[in-house]
Amino acid sequence: MTLFQRLPDGLEIRNRHEVIRIQAWGSHSLRVRASLHSIDVNDHGALGDAMEAGEPIIVIEGDRAEVVRGRIRVTAFLDRSEAIPEVHLAFSDTVSGRELLSEQREHFWTPGPRVYLGNRSGAFELQQEFTAYDGERLYGMGQRTHGRLNVKGLALDLVQRNGEVNIPFVLSDRGYGLLWNNPAVGRVEFADNATRWQVAQARQIDYWITAGGSPAEILAAYADATGHVPEFPRWASGFWQSKLRYRTQDELLEVAREFARRDLPLSVIVADYFHWSAMGDYRFDAEEWPDPSAMVEELREHGVELMVSVWPTVSPLSENYPRFRDEGLLVATDQGLEVHQSARDKGMPLAMPVSLYDPTNPRTREFVWDLIRRNYVSHGIGIWWLDASEPELNPAHPENLTFYAGPGAQVANIYPRENARLFAEGMAADGLPQTVLFSRSAWAGAQKYGTAVWSGDIPATWESLATQVRAGLNIAISGIPWWTTDIGGFHGGDASDPAYQELMVRWFQFGVFCPIFRLHGDRDPRNSDGYAASGGPNEPWSFGDHAYEIIAATIRLRERLRPYIHRQMAIASQTGLPPMRPLFVDFPDDAATWDVDDQFMFGPDILVAPVLHPGQRARPVYLPAGRTWTDAWTGQAMDGGQVVSIDAPLNRIPVFTTDGGPVLRAGDSEALLDEPNRTLA
């Protein structure tokens, strides 16, 4: 029989009913697809059209074949000594000769490394099993709440949730990166005995794998394959002010005026949810926001841009609901009515069912963007907060959804990416400048639309702050360079409580070194009664005089950092290297950096060690080998390759720079060094 067939860009393998297609997909990368009977070229993954990669080297010898593309080699072989012979794939690095990753059977008899369990619809439950390696470290997989940087040993759901951003890309310290290019709902287990990817319903196995001599090379290949983030807008690098919520135009403008009176830098202010007349109207409530154009004009006089919250939910009371419903622009359901969540929106006496629009439908994208154009862009607004875009479901059953793109079980994970696409393509078609699409979720490839992600509705606790550091580093590894948190956490926090003021100060000190610098939260006293919701004060001056001194100095520090930040953002756009990243990205040859999970690099010249515990006034810091490091606050130089104990008085966290890095000690930050032991009490 003919087991192997050459393709112009790779190899096709046929054994019994199974078909495996291996194609060069980048200079050092391969794409692998496998199914029964035939390969479906129609998919909703992140890879798009085949990349220009040149012709791979293909060698076929009996029951064994090799495909080599640059640094990566895949060996395919059929072991006829097995009880039920199946094709096995093994990947290696052509430079080092090291095995990167190999398939393994689930059982010596059956099943094999790839499993297809049919459901009589033409789709399958799919399983793909790889060998687990002792001591391997794995990073990425989007943004999670498990509080770990190294995901080895974890089982992770492949589904979108508030705070759980599913981007199925993993980077290994063995020298490879792997994208599970399948948006189906499922699960991955990075266990000690095997790595297993599983989805409940899909047409075929599909993954992309690359080899690199460094993490930076792997991230560059991944950006080339899934898309590069656009240029970061100049206004976006400053301070963003937000709270749940400014209820009226006058309330929002008064906050912006207070920033101006205090000469406190401000770049963006946010009109949060329920500013609308009804979910699905996509316009301001005229009683509360009578003159949006005048509001935007006044804000711009202060150098401030307005961002508005846009939810994908459509109320049955919306003036646009009949058209959404009758033209099939809503997400459908396999069973039950086309309602997906409950909310107490404008005009509702209590929480009622609402629906989601379907951004995978081109006609939906066209209709929604037309509403956005007429009701927001016409007032000069061009920054979009794409909240609840997982989408947020209640009950959380994405498998019950049916999209224009396909069954929810097969494609639900692309919802946030397609929602970002709606806005990016709409703005581009209208000739509008590149913006930031501030989203609570993402999938692979969302970065090419200008998606920025924040970490969702997180607790206002020290434990949560520590979790955010690891979450931000993993989503950076997953291809999203634009990221932030709700400074201070979202749920709760009493602005008058000295204990919370300390947390807020430390969170600000972390936030100033995040790609996006944004304050948000639902502070005590909280009122969550639907559209009437509005939490307590959440402005920089809300947390007491001494906390304000430190917070204001931190905001001014961010202003001084903005030229440096834009240089790093330009690098991210060009190469895929995120500005906020784990130490091992810059120092892969220093073995100790692969285990440091509470520090990070902010560009190549700033090392940040956040304070993550109450009352902590010093902390250990690992300085990577191969450089001389300078304490940004004291000017003391220290050799790399050692752990040092660094003072962390309330007014600063440990930050180190290298030769040629930015100077941080200036202005208010320097003045605060004169009284390091003041407390907030």
Side-chain angles (χ1 to χ4, degrees):
M1 70 177 190
T2 302
L3 182 62
F4 302 113
Q5 179 182 345
R6 293 176 186 267
L7 302 175
D9 57 355
L11 186 71
E12 187 164 281
I13 308 167
R14 290 182 175 270
N15 180 44
R16 301 188 179 189
H17 297 297
E18 185 179 36
V19 184
I20 305 171
R21 184 174 297 170
I22 303 169
Q23 295 170 274
W25 213 277
S27 298
H28 307 281
S29 312
L30 300 168
R31 183 181 186 182
V32 178
R33 283 175 281 186
S35 187
L36 298 185
H37 309 301
S38 64
I39 298 297
D40 186 356
V41 296
N42 299 311
D43 67 77
H44 299 284
L47 296 179
D49 296 331
M51 299 176 64
E52 291 293 333
E55 187 174 343
I57 299 170
I58 302 171
V59 178
I60 300 174
E61 295 179 346
D63 288 342
R64 187 181 187 90
E66 288 185 353
V67 179
V68 177
R69 180 57 198 149
R71 188 161 186 147
I72 194 166
R73 172 190 289 111
V74 59
T75 302
F77 57 94
L78 181 68
D79 186 352
R80 296 188 185 276
S81 68
E82 294 177 333
I84 300 179
E86 297 201 35
V87 173
H88 295 255
L89 304 181
F91 302 88
S92 59
D93 187 315
T94 60
V95 175
S96 67
R98 184 187 193 190
E99 181 175 286
L100 300 173
L101 184 67
S102 66
E103 294 182 326
Q104 70 177 31
R105 297 183 70 96
E106 290 193 21
H107 186 264
F108 75 89
W109 179 266
T110 188
R114 296 170 305 279
V115 180
Y116 312 88
L117 302 176
N119 63 8
R120 293 181 289 182
S121 70
F124 308 92
E125 177 188 340
L126 298 175
Q127 298 176 24
Q128 170 71 66
E129 184 152 326
F130 295 108
T131 300
Y133 300 92
D134 291 341
E136 183 178 18
R137 301 177 181 92
L138 299 168
Y139 307 90
M141 291 303 300
Q143 171 197 278
R144 307 282 175 160
T145 57
H146 49 61
R148 295 260 300 270
L149 181 59
N150 180 3
V151 301
K152 177 66 174 178
L154 300 182
L156 303 174
D157 291 334
L158 303 177
V159 69
Q160 310 288 17
R161 299 178 180 129
N162 187 341
E164 295 273 324
V165 179
N166 169 38
I167 303 175
F169 174 78
V170 63
L171 183 150
S172 169
D173 67 345
R174 294 176 65 84
Y176 71 87
L178 185 143
L179 170 68
W180 180 251
N181 188 45
N182 190 325
V185 176
R187 189 173 180 83
V188 61
E189 298 169 338
F190 298 111
D192 288 337
N193 62 328
T195 290
R196 181 183 295 171
W197 299 83
Q198 177 271 337
V199 296
Q201 185 182 140
R203 297 283 172 175
Q204 61 195 15
I205 292 168
D206 189 347
Y207 61 90
W208 173 89
I209 184 169
T210 190
S214 68
E217 290 181 7
I218 292 170
L219 294 176
Y222 178 52
D224 288 344
T226 60
H228 286 251
V229 71
E231 181 180 352
F232 196 59
R234 303 300 300 181
W235 51 261
S237 61
F239 178 62
W240 298 20
Q241 172 62 41
S242 182
K243 67 163 283 187
L244 189 158
R245 67 184 173 93
Y246 299 124
R247 292 167 292 185
T248 67
Q249 179 174 324
D250 288 342
E251 186 179 352
L252 182 144
L253 284 173
E254 183 53 36
V255 171
R257 292 165 187 155
E258 183 62 22
F259 271 88
R261 285 192 286 267
R262 293 173 180 262
D263 194 27
L264 192 61
L266 178 65
S267 291
V268 176
I269 195 166
V270 181
D272 201 349
Y273 67 167
F274 298 125
H275 71 266
W276 48 66
S277 47
M279 286 180 169
D281 285 356
Y282 300 110
R283 62 179 174 85
F284 285 99
D285 185 330
E287 292 186 7
E288 298 167 350
W289 308 82
D291 195 344
S293 294
M295 173 175 56
V296 170
E297 182 178 356
E298 179 178 339
L299 289 172
R300 288 213 170 117
E301 290 173 357
H302 295 301
V304 180
E305 295 291 330
L306 179 67
M307 179 169 73
V308 296
S309 176
V310 180
W311 283 47
T313 41
V314 181
S315 164
L317 302 181
S318 168
E319 61 197 16
N320 298 312
Y321 180 79
R323 184 169 175 185
F324 274 107
R325 178 197 61 204
D326 296 342
E327 296 188 15
L329 308 182
L330 299 174
V331 175
T333 55
D334 273 345
Q335 299 180 25
L337 299 175
E338 292 179 353
V339 294
H340 315 104
Q341 193 191 116
S342 61
R344 189 183 178 201
D345 194 24
K346 298 282 184 71
M348 293 182 178
L350 72 169
M352 295 174 59
V354 295
S355 304
L356 297 165
Y357 66 60
D358 181 1
T360 74
N361 186 336
R363 293 186 299 118
T364 304
R365 296 197 296 269
E366 180 180 355
F367 177 54
V368 172
W369 179 251
D370 183 61
L371 294 172
I372 298 296
R373 178 196 297 117
R374 288 191 278 116
N375 297 326
Y376 293 121
V377 176
S378 64
H379 296 301
I381 298 166
I383 313 173
W384 318 110
W385 182 2
L386 307 183
D387 205 348
S389 61
E390 294 84 10
E392 190 166 57
L393 300 172
N394 184 19
H397 295 158
E399 300 91 341
N400 190 44
L401 306 182
T402 300
F403 298 91
Y404 177 90
Q410 296 183 30
V411 303
N413 283 318
I414 64 171
Y415 192 99
R417 187 192 68 191
E418 295 301 285
N419 196 42
R421 176 184 178 184
L422 185 165
F423 286 80
E425 291 183 346
M427 294 192 74
D430 287 356
L432 298 172
Q434 172 63 44
T435 191
V436 173
L437 302 176
F438 198 58
S439 177
R440 204 169 69 185
S441 193
W443 200 70
Q447 71 277 357
K448 68 185 176 185
Y449 296 121
T451 296
V453 176
W454 91 101
S455 58
D457 296 348
I458 54 177
T461 64
W462 289 94
E463 294 79 8
S464 177
L465 173 57
T467 295
Q468 303 320 301
V469 178
R470 286 88 174 189
L473 297 178
N474 269 328
I475 199 170
I477 292 296
S478 305
I480 303 292
W482 302 355
W483 179 85
T484 191
T485 68
D486 291 349
I487 289 178
F490 176 77
H491 288 296
D494 183 347
S496 65
D497 180 2
Y500 181 68
Q501 291 168 2
E502 180 186 4
L503 174 61
M504 178 60 74
V505 165
R506 293 307 197 189
W507 212 311
F508 254 97
Q509 292 166 342
F510 163 62
V512 74
F513 296 105
C514 288
I516 293 174
F517 184 38
R518 167 182 169 271
L519 175 63
H520 184 63
D522 184 11
R523 303 287 167 247
D524 295 332
R526 304 170 71 192
N527 169 19
S528 59
D529 188 20
Y531 66 87
S534 180
N538 193 50
E539 291 69 45
W541 51 84
S542 304
F543 306 100
D545 291 342
H546 185 45
Y548 173 67
E549 290 181 72
I550 302 172
I551 290 169
T554 304
I555 294 173
R556 293 189 171 98
L557 169 61
R558 178 71 175 203
E559 286 296 297
R560 297 197 299 278
L561 283 170
R562 289 177 74 177
Y564 176 80
I565 291 169
H566 281 283
R567 289 196 296 273
Q568 308 317 312
M569 290 300 194
I571 291 170
S573 178
Q574 295 159 10
T575 71
L577 186 65
M580 179 184 178
R581 53 197 187 241
L583 301 188
F584 64 74
V585 173
D586 292 81
F587 305 96
D589 296 329
D590 182 346
T593 63
W594 292 86
D595 293 320
V596 177
D597 64 358
D598 62 351
Q599 302 172 207
F600 59 91
M601 297 300 297
F602 192 55
D605 301 314
I606 301 178
L607 184 152
V608 183
V611 171
L612 305 175
H613 304 284
Q616 187 175 19
R617 297 297 182 263
R619 62 152 291 172
V621 178
Y622 180 72
L623 302 177
R627 290 193 192 177
T628 299
W629 298 91
T630 301
D631 187 313
W633 313 118
T634 68
Q636 181 181 1
M638 302 181 188
D639 292 333
Q642 62 172 327
V643 176
V644 293
S645 180
I646 301 298
D647 289 340
L650 186 61
N651 53 41
R652 67 183 190 266
I653 61 174
V655 178
F656 284 82
T657 62
T658 59
D659 292 341
V663 177
L664 305 188
R665 190 179 181 218
D668 292 329
S669 296
E670 183 174 339
L672 284 172
L673 291 172
D674 296 334
E675 42 184 356
N677 296 314
R678 284 179 58 180
T679 66
L680 294 173

